[in-house]
Amino acid sequence: MKVFIAGGRGRVGSRLADTLEAKGIEAVPGGLEDGIDVLSGKGLAEALVGVDTIVNVLNTPRFDAEGAISFFEGAIDTLTAEGERAGVRHHIVLSIVGVGEGDASEIGYYLGKVAQEKAVRSASIPATIIRATQFQSYIPVLIDQHTVDGKVHAPRSYIQPVELDEVVDLLTEAVTTLEPGSEIEIAGPDRFFHDDLFRATLAHRGDRREVVTVEGQGPIEAMVPRGAHRTGVVRYPIPGIPTV
Ligand SMILES: NC(=O)c1ccc[n+]([C@@H]2O[C@H](COP(=O)([O-])OP(=O)(O)OC[C@H]3O[C@@H](n4cnc5c(N)ncnc54)[C@H](OP(=O)(O)O)[C@@H]3O)[C@@H](O)[C@H]2O)c1
């Protein structure tokens, strides 16, 4: 089996490549530094020769709706066109739990992920969508994203961070055993309020930024799974945070 990982040198992609290779599965990394551009299609035809499955773990620094939508949707279109020519039979996409809902419904980046899901669902290559909650290792970045004028604005809504390796394991399962057409969500074992999690993480890191609680504008559970989902076993590395 040969797998093309779009974004294969990124945070998720590089761990997935190592995991697949350890199982004896050939993993071809596809990123800009490999000379592959998923938007223009440069280098894709050659990289996809003999590939059965594409795993799409691409990312963009564009957080505005226009930039994020054109990136995520454009990449699906190009990967589908080139993948179809190469005989790819399965396109697996990593998305985020809750995008398009509640507080997240107006966030430009999340609108890009919604467009990505919609595009791959209606594309000609059978698709699987894995939706993960926020990675535990990503929480400090998330805190920075919520910081305005030195203060961290944290919604009083739920968050259930997951360990990245457990997401990689589910992507690996999607590659090796899942039939195309699945949509699966994965979250960590514990559910917190954003503001409690942010305060504890900052205190643990000796970061004195103040956390300001803001009331959520949407459902309190918008960013956590509400139906059947996989639950990871790895706990958030800071003990003592109140769970809900
Ligand atoms: N962070 C979270 O908590 C979280 C939770 C759930 C889901 N996710 C999703 O997980 C996915 C992967 O995230 P990540 O943190 O692993 O991303 P990342 O580390 O930023 O990696 C993104 C990759 O995309 C590649 N890329 C960007 N533009 C490209 C282009 N035009 N052509 C080819 N490759 C391009 C980059 O290649 P170069 O390195 O060569 O530039 C890089 O390898 C994202 O879709 C994100 O929405 C994230």
Side-chain angles (χ1 to χ4, degrees), residues 104-161:
S105 62
E106 300 299 324
I107 297 173
Y109 180 84
Y110 288 160
L111 293 174
K113 298 298 289 183
V114 171
Q116 180 190 40
E117 288 190 11
K118 197 169 164 210
V120 82
R121 240 183 242 117
S122 60
S124 52
I125 299 175
T128 291
I129 299 174
I130 303 295
R131 269 187 228 103
T133 54
Q134 288 63 41
F135 309 145
Q136 294 176 357
S137 53
Y138 193 75
I139 298 302
V141 181
L142 197 63
I143 291 174
D144 290 344
Q145 289 169 354
H146 281 76
T147 302
V148 182
D149 294 334
K151 290 187 180 175
V152 184
H153 294 246
R156 190 70 183 158
S157 59
Y158 299 154
I159 182 166
Q160 199 170 335

Side-chain angles (χ1 to χ4, degrees), residues 1 19 32-33 38 50 54-55 89 112 154 162 181 215-217 235:
M1 180 184 246
T19 305
L32 297 172
E33 67 176 86
V38 295
I54 294 172
V55 183
R89 55 162 207 94
V162 65
E215 289 307 320
Q217 285 150 16
R235 306 216 106 90

Side-chain angles (χ1 to χ4, degrees), residues 6-13 30-34 36-40 56-61 71-72 94-97 109 113 116 130-136 138 162 164 167:
R9 308 239 176 229
R11 196 177 285 122
V12 179
L32 297 172
E33 67 176 86
D34 303 294
I36 294 168
D37 186 340
V38 295
L39 295 179
S40 69
N56 181 339
V57 285
L58 292 161
N59 210 359
T60 174
F71 176 81
F72 284 117
L94 179 60
S95 189
I96 305 173
V97 170
Y109 180 84
K113 298 298 289 183
Q116 180 190 40
I130 303 295
R131 269 187 228 103
T133 54
Q134 288 63 41
F135 309 145
Q136 294 176 357
Y138 193 75
V162 65
L164 176 51
V167 178

